[in-house]
Amino acid sequence: MHDIKAIRDNPAAFDLGLARRGLGPMAAGLLSIDAERRDHVQKLQDAQARRNAASKEIGEAVKSGDKARAEALKAEMGAIKDFIATAEAVERDIDRRLTAALAVIPNIPLDDVPDGKDETGNVEVRRWGAPGTFNYEPRQHFDIGEWLGLMDFEAAAKISGARFVVMKGPLARLERALAQFMLDHQTGANGYTEHFVPFMVNDAAMYGTGQLPKFAEDLFRTTDGRWLIPTAEVSLTNLVRESVLDEKDLPLRLTAYTPCFRAEAGAAGRDTRGMIRQHQFSKVELVSITTPEQSRGELERMTAAAESVLQALRLPYRVLRLCAGDMGFGSRMTYDLEVWLPGQKAYREISSCSVCGDFQARRMDARFRPADGKGTRHVHTLNGSGLAVGRTMVAILENYQNADGSVTIPEALRPYMGGADRITRG
């Protein structure tokens, strides 16, 4: 949610930020509603002041015996009360219109975000690890999983439809092992506090992190009006909604392992085979709540925390700084981590780490009290994947595949796999 005062103070900068997102100017329309609201509020305040003054004057007129003046003032008071009752309803309507207009406008990119209209404008920052070489044509993860007899898309389709999978035996255990390893790593090496959070949330929670109202078609809703979370970011970030934190307690670093549910409404025809883009998947999410002064440094720290999982698993990857036209709705800057998939001969996204500034905090009314005790300020929020479990499994299957069809288990995961060092066909 944008600060209308900031738009009022510098409408040109706001429109320039939107232009970098590929959007037309909006400041004038927003400020028109804002001016209407401010003018109406002034009239309402004037009426309330006159009501208070007239009430006092009525008492004086009655006391002095001036009945005519008292009656005239009472008639004026009646008209003022009618106006105020109507004006308060009008004010609420104008507030709703302004809020609704602001709620669907994406965040403004930071100055050092690259310009660009889509993924072709993203900038590679660094690479880690070298893709392995194979003396045969490397297979894709779904071919490996099905050949092992441990990945069944047909059974999942009978139960749930497209974009689901059933895994069994060592692959099911690998899913669990990855989640446990990631949680242990993020809570131990990187200092995040583990949480168990709801998988279903209300409208206010989805609105607070920016999923509503703009992305309702990408979400799943229950019959009683709750929403299945598309990411634990929703539950974790909303833990600070409508609260005032002390600066000394920041930053908060939170993590959770949850299932995630996405309708993938805009992904028709993309990644229809395999586990890259599913309606249900699991993820270890990272969330930070911090001060404006710390938030950029926290983005670098969070990105490094996500990278450290890939490094521990010895998976080659690259880091991209997303351009303004390719960033998510609530982000001011995003780093994407893309892992190498030899079966696809391509780098594919496995984590996005974003700083949102006070964009979400304004929607949630999440604040902190500075150390000097003077007033309150909105917190800054960040989120990232540390990592997407299913896509990490995809990367392991493809990077650790062997010519005989087996898959070597990364050393870091072997304690979580009962000491096994290989997955073979049963």
Side-chain angles (χ1 to χ4, degrees):
M1 180 71 72
H2 295 283
D3 180 4
I4 190 63
K5 183 180 183 302
I7 299 173
R8 195 187 306 143
D9 291 344
N10 199 339
F14 181 74
D15 281 342
L16 179 60
L18 294 182
R20 298 184 66 204
R21 287 272 199 173
L23 300 173
M26 298 185 186
L30 295 168
L31 293 179
S32 176
I33 303 174
D34 178 52
E36 179 186 354
R37 181 189 179 281
R38 295 171 71 198
D39 180 64
H40 186 78
V41 167
Q42 185 60 58
K43 290 178 181 177
L44 179 57
Q45 291 174 343
D46 291 344
Q48 290 168 335
R50 178 56 192 152
R51 178 189 60 188
N52 296 338
S55 179
K56 183 178 179 181
E57 291 173 18
I58 289 172
E60 293 172 350
V62 170
K63 186 175 180 180
S64 66
D66 190 344
K67 294 183 179 180
R69 176 162 175 70
E71 291 301 317
L73 287 168
K74 288 179 181 178
E76 182 185 359
M77 278 279 285
I80 290 174
K81 286 181 180 179
D82 290 342
F83 171 77
I84 289 174
T86 302
E88 287 175 343
V90 171
E91 181 185 3
R92 289 192 294 271
D93 179 66
I94 298 173
D95 281 341
R96 280 193 293 267
R97 284 195 286 125
L98 181 58
T99 299
L102 289 168
V104 295
I105 300 174
N107 210 345
I108 299 299
L110 293 174
D111 291 343
D112 49 346
V113 168
D115 287 326
K117 62 181 180 179
D118 54 34
E119 61 185 17
T120 61
N122 297 338
V123 175
E124 185 173 312
V125 178
R126 57 185 171 271
R127 293 191 181 198
W128 187 93
T133 57
F134 296 82
N135 57 11
Y136 61 92
E137 185 66 22
R139 295 177 289 274
Q140 295 199 50
H141 69 280
F142 44 82
D143 290 328
I144 298 168
E146 289 178 327
W147 184 87
L148 289 169
L150 303 175
M151 188 179 289
D152 194 334
F153 295 98
E154 290 186 10
K158 292 176 183 177
I159 299 168
S160 302
R163 297 191 187 273
F164 291 91
V165 66
V166 171
M167 292 181 290
K168 65 181 181 179
L171 280 195
R173 183 167 185 173
L174 182 60
E175 161 89 15
R176 175 162 52 93
L178 279 167
Q180 185 66 57
F181 167 72
M182 290 175 188
L183 283 174
D184 287 351
H185 187 79
Q186 299 299 0
T187 56
N190 295 321
Y192 287 83
T193 300
E194 183 178 352
H195 289 67
F196 181 82
V197 295
F199 305 158
M200 295 187 294
V201 298
N202 58 26
D203 288 359
M206 283 293 200
Y207 180 86
T209 46
Q211 279 76 25
L212 290 179
K214 190 172 179 64
F215 302 104
E217 68 171 9
D218 290 319
L219 306 170
F220 288 109
R221 195 172 195 181
T222 65
T223 54
D224 66 354
R226 293 183 177 89
W227 302 86
L228 299 179
I229 59 169
T231 164
E233 170 202 344
V234 178
S235 301
L236 289 172
T237 310
N238 274 279
L239 290 175
V240 299
R241 70 174 298 111
E242 298 172 6
S243 62
V244 179
L245 309 170
D246 288 328
E247 184 175 3
K248 64 180 177 59
D249 296 325
L250 301 177
L252 301 179
R253 297 185 178 119
L254 321 174
T255 186
Y257 165 62
T258 68
C260 304
F261 306 91
R262 297 185 185 177
E264 297 289 357
R270 298 173 60 190
D271 299 305
T272 53
R273 286 200 70 191
M275 294 175 56
I276 293 291
R277 197 178 301 275
Q278 296 199 301
H279 291 311
Q280 175 189 308
F281 59 97
S282 58
K283 184 153 64 84
V284 171
E285 185 72 359
L286 308 176
V287 163
S288 292
I289 312 295
T290 188
T291 65
E293 292 76 18
Q294 294 174 314
S295 62
R296 281 296 301 273
E298 191 68 15
L299 175 61
E300 302 299 328
R301 186 187 190 279
M302 177 178 285
T303 304
E307 289 182 69
S308 67
V309 176
L310 291 170
Q311 292 172 12
L313 296 173
R314 314 299 297 175
L315 292 170
Y317 67 90
R318 66 179 182 177
V319 180
L320 303 179
R321 181 177 290 182
L322 299 194
C323 70
D326 197 38
M327 291 196 309
F329 177 76
S331 176
R332 297 207 70 189
M333 176 181 283
T334 295
Y335 288 114
D336 264 12
L337 275 58
E338 294 187 342
V339 68
W340 174 253
L341 299 182
Q344 292 192 21
K345 297 180 176 61
Y347 285 97
R348 296 299 303 268
E349 180 195 337
I350 197 168
S351 173
S352 284
C353 297
S354 300
V355 59
C356 300
D358 62 4
F359 189 78
Q360 294 177 325
R362 289 183 177 279
R363 300 169 82 104
M364 298 186 301
D365 191 23
R367 300 172 179 268
F368 74 98
R369 185 176 291 104
D372 60 15
K374 296 180 180 178
T376 61
R377 302 168 65 192
H378 286 100
V379 298
H380 278 200
T381 62
L382 302 92
N383 63 80
S385 302
L387 303 164
V389 176
R391 292 194 178 195
T392 307
M393 180 183 291
V394 167
I396 289 172
L397 292 177
E398 295 200 11
N399 283 278
Y400 282 86
Q401 62 180 293
N402 301 304
D404 64 0
S406 66
V407 176
T408 300
I409 298 171
E411 287 188 19
L413 295 177
R414 292 175 189 177
Y416 298 89
M417 294 290 290
D421 62 1
R422 189 174 293 245
I423 298 174
T424 59
R425 186 170 183 173

